[in-house]
Amino acid sequence: MATSLLSRVEAVAAPFIFGLPEPARRLIAGRPVRLDGQELALDAQLLLRLQQIARVSMSSDTPEEARRRIVESGTLVSGARIEPVRTREIDIPAEHGPLPATLYEPAGLPSGSALLVFFHGGGWVIGSRASHDNTARYFAKHSGVRVLSVEYRLAPEHPFPAATEDAIAAFGYAHAKAADLGADPERIAVGGDSAGGNLAAVTAQVTTRRGGPAPAFQMLLYPGVDASRRRRSRELFGDGFFLTDADMTWFLDHYAPAGVDRTDTRLSPLLAEDFTGLPPAYVATAGFDPLRDEGEEYAAKLRAAGVPVTLSRQPDLIHGYVNFLGIGRRFREATSEAAGALRVGLRA
């Protein structure tokens, strides 16, 4: 009860703080943070300060506790529900049983529209359709597409490759049942943030290599694409910038525990030998994100293989920014760019 009350108080306080004049926000956030030739956005720095005060962490002693915390902290940052967007609950048939999903349909969208199959982030351990509800609504409304948000299985209850299998099954269902979903089967994208970006990239690779059907576009938002080694951005930004080095280790140890080959391209798609023929892509990275460098390497490999790709580094932002739609302006600006890229990428 006390925790729920605190969350409600924080949910009221956060918009108030972000609505203060810039000098007051700067006073709360502290001196500007500059690192690697970049300056952290005031909105991002202020969010990190509030996270520090609230003692919010993505990892925890147990997955159950981490999942509870991420739900509670979501009330701080996701904002008021984006409307008008209609939702419909769907069960996707899978070998292990029905896979829950939510179809988001913006008002006035005709049948035969484009569709995004969306995979939420959370290190394959936390996160859900609920945690990314407003993110899915935002892409539906501002990209003018239907969005199928998938509740794939989480680790450690369901370790690698369970989430990958679910993602591939979800895309296959969306393509086969496009008419039932009001979608054009030739204009179906895959996308997601962080671990969801990993699942989208893997789905695009697997479906392309087996001869299709494959996505028409991929929207990869600060994706994790190589679990096999550390990069410079992880050393630079692994502490104090929302997603931490400890979080990443905790997530991977749950999803890909001892005995899993972390060079498997279904886990580390950056290590694939052949990138030719993959769908056009929008790859977004955040300047102050431990995953920045591997995401940008992925875009470079796509480009080298002749795949049309737009790489967009948001140099002043942190990991997770598409979930922070209810505070400040900078997070919405970056998410709006992604929505525009999706709209253009799926244009008939």
Side-chain angles (χ1 to χ4, degrees):
M1 181 68 71
T3 302
S4 297
L5 177 60
L6 178 60
S7 296
R8 289 197 294 271
V9 171
E10 290 170 343
V12 172
F16 171 77
I17 292 171
F18 274 86
L20 291 172
E22 182 173 342
R25 285 183 285 130
R26 173 54 68 191
L27 184 64
I28 295 170
R31 298 179 63 179
V33 174
R34 298 183 179 92
L35 188 58
D36 201 31
Q38 307 167 133
E39 181 172 325
L40 188 63
L42 177 55
D43 282 347
Q45 191 175 344
L46 189 57
L47 175 61
L48 292 173
R49 178 61 178 148
L50 295 178
Q51 179 196 25
Q52 181 185 42
I53 294 170
R55 298 181 181 179
V56 174
S57 173
M58 287 207 288
S59 58
S60 186
D61 291 338
T62 67
E64 293 79 10
E65 175 67 13
R67 291 165 190 164
R68 183 187 65 78
R69 285 186 183 180
I70 208 70
V71 169
E72 290 184 346
S73 64
T75 62
L76 287 169
V77 295
S78 60
R81 178 179 290 181
I82 294 170
E83 299 285 7
V85 178
R86 185 175 61 182
T87 61
R88 174 158 54 108
E89 298 305 302
I90 290 173
D91 284 333
I92 297 172
E95 289 186 10
H96 57 81
L99 189 64
T102 302
L103 181 67
Y104 294 83
E105 301 177 284
L109 191 66
S111 61
S113 71
L115 172 73
L116 168 66
V117 182
F118 182 78
F119 309 113
H120 66 78
W124 308 279
V125 177
I126 63 175
S128 63
R129 289 175 295 160
S131 68
H132 285 62
D133 177 70
N134 240 19
T135 302
R137 289 173 177 273
Y138 190 94
F139 285 123
K141 182 174 180 178
H142 294 279
S143 299
V145 302
R146 286 175 168 84
V147 176
L148 185 66
S149 183
V150 181
E151 197 80 66
Y152 57 87
R153 289 172 292 169
L154 297 178
E157 297 90 341
H158 305 284
F160 172 83
T164 295
E165 293 170 349
D166 289 352
I168 295 167
F171 172 76
Y173 171 86
H175 190 274
K177 300 295 184 180
D180 295 342
L181 299 174
D184 177 354
E186 302 305 313
R187 291 194 294 149
I188 299 178
V190 289
D193 66 313
S194 192
N198 168 279
L199 296 176
V202 171
T203 298
Q205 285 193 8
V206 170
T207 56
T208 298
R209 293 293 157 250
R210 70 186 184 189
F217 188 76
Q218 44 185 333
M219 181 181 71
L220 312 180
L221 307 172
Y222 38 88
V225 288
D226 186 2
S228 69
R229 71 178 183 90
R230 305 170 68 91
R231 286 171 172 76
R232 178 171 173 269
S233 58
R234 183 164 175 175
E235 303 303 331
L236 286 174
F237 310 113
D239 184 30
F241 296 102
F242 188 67
L243 176 65
T244 67
D245 180 72
D247 290 335
M248 295 174 68
T249 298
W250 188 84
F251 286 139
L252 273 170
D253 285 349
H254 280 93
Y255 183 55
V260 171
D261 178 8
R262 293 188 177 181
T263 66
D264 189 319
T265 57
R266 295 171 300 164
L267 176 61
S268 299
L270 179 61
L271 304 183
E273 294 182 0
D274 186 6
F275 279 68
T276 59
L278 289 174
Y282 171 81
V283 181
T285 62
F288 288 78
D289 184 355
L291 293 177
R292 183 193 69 187
D293 290 356
E294 61 194 78
E296 294 182 1
E297 285 183 40
Y298 198 82
K301 278 200 167 184
L302 288 168
R303 185 175 293 112
V307 177
V309 57
T310 297
L311 170 63
S312 178
R313 180 193 289 191
Q314 306 295 323
D316 56 343
L317 291 186
I318 57 175
H319 189 87
Y321 63 77
V322 300
N323 290 299
F324 309 147
L325 299 174
I327 50 176
R329 287 195 294 264
R330 184 64 189 95
F331 304 120
R332 276 185 176 254
E333 290 172 355
T335 307
S336 178
E337 180 189 285
L342 178 63
R343 181 172 58 251
V344 171
L346 290 176
R347 187 168 50 197

